[in-house]
Each structure stands twice: as C-alpha cells, then as structure tokens.
Amino acid sequence: MLKDPFLDEAFVPDLMWFVGQFDVYDREETRGAILGVYNPDDEYDRSELIVKYGLDLECLSYRHKYVLVEFLRTKLGEPDFDFQSLFEIDEGCPGSWPRGEWYNLKNPRDFFQDVYGLAKEIWKVDLQKAAIEDPSTW
C-alpha cells in the first residue's frame, strides 16, 4: 500500500496537492507578495506558477506523482467535474489565495489541463519509472 508521505495511512490522491502551495494564509506579506505578481488566468503566468510552485512537491515519491497524475487524468476526463470548487475557501477555514482571480478563475479546467501537461513533461522520468511497476505491489 502506498503510504501518505506525512501520515501512517494509505495515500489518497487529491487535486489539492497541485494547488495547496498557492495558499498564502498568514503569509500574505511574504509568499503572497511573491505569488501576487502572477495572474492565474494568464497562460504564461499560469505556466510559471505551475512549474515553479505547483509541481514543486519534493515530499512525493515517483509513485505518488504517478498516482496523482493518473487521478488528474481521470478527473479531466469527467466533463462535469467542478474544478472551480478546488479554489473555494470556506469562510470559517483558514486559507487565502494571493489574488482575487484565484477565487473565480475564468476556466479552472484549463488550469488543471496545464498542470497535467506540465507534470507529464517535468515529472517524465518519475512517471516512466512508476509506469513499469505494478501498483498493486506498492
């Protein structure tokens, strides 16, 4: 069983792994200032954000990355999947995005489509390594 990198339990893929790094709650003046110069609706800025921050997941093994990318591929194949819900922050929960655009992206599916394409490119070696293994042995 593939274990969560932080907990002693099974790893459950979640698309928040790709956007959680953009939460600037209680870091608005530091991380928020850095990320605030980017517009997630702009294609170039979005690519920069994803490459520099969204895929910077050193805590994950090549197996975790494979499971996440496959999970994302599945969700992208669901035409009615609500990607915007991943950017909604409940009023009572601590969390905030660096800019107002994050709360209501023009096309959140495009954001995740870019995550998918860039992850396949940047994590290529890890994904190939995991693909030749039998996931049932993890």
Side-chain angles (χ1 to χ4, degrees):
M1 166 179 64
L2 186 61
K3 296 265 189 171
D4 185 285
F6 301 109
L7 306 170
D8 189 27
E9 54 190 50
F11 179 70
V12 178
D14 186 334
L15 298 181
M16 285 306 292
W17 281 97
F18 296 118
V19 294
Q21 298 85 297
F22 303 115
D23 182 347
V24 297
Y25 178 77
D26 208 24
R27 302 177 293 172
E28 289 86 357
E29 289 148 14
T30 54
R31 189 150 180 98
I34 293 167
L35 298 176
V37 300
Y38 297 98
N39 179 350
D41 283 321
D42 177 80
E43 188 175 338
Y44 178 78
D45 281 2
R46 187 170 56 239
S47 292
E48 289 284 312
L49 281 164
I50 293 166
V51 170
K52 288 183 178 179
Y53 306 101
L55 297 177
D56 184 22
L57 298 170
E58 295 177 10
C59 61
L60 298 180
S61 72
Y62 67 98
R63 291 172 174 167
H64 292 97
K65 291 174 182 177
Y66 179 83
V67 170
L68 279 176
V69 169
E70 287 300 303
F71 183 71
L72 176 53
R73 183 181 61 76
T74 301
K75 294 302 177 192
L76 287 167
E78 297 176 16
D80 296 331
F81 187 80
D82 181 12
F83 287 97
Q84 182 60 44
S85 68
L86 297 163
F87 296 96
E88 294 171 2
I89 297 175
D90 291 334
E91 202 170 297
C93 290
S96 62
W97 301 121
R99 292 174 54 132
E101 294 91 344
W102 289 87
Y103 293 90
N104 195 20
L105 294 175
K106 289 178 184 172
N107 194 334
R109 180 176 287 274
D110 283 353
F111 184 94
F112 282 97
Q113 189 66 51
D114 287 351
V115 168
Y116 180 71
L118 290 165
K120 284 180 33 178
E121 179 182 320
I122 292 168
W123 293 348
K124 182 179 180 176
V125 172
D126 285 339
L127 299 176
Q128 288 174 336
K129 183 176 179 181
I132 61 174
E133 295 183 357
D134 177 4
S136 68
T137 64
W138 300 344

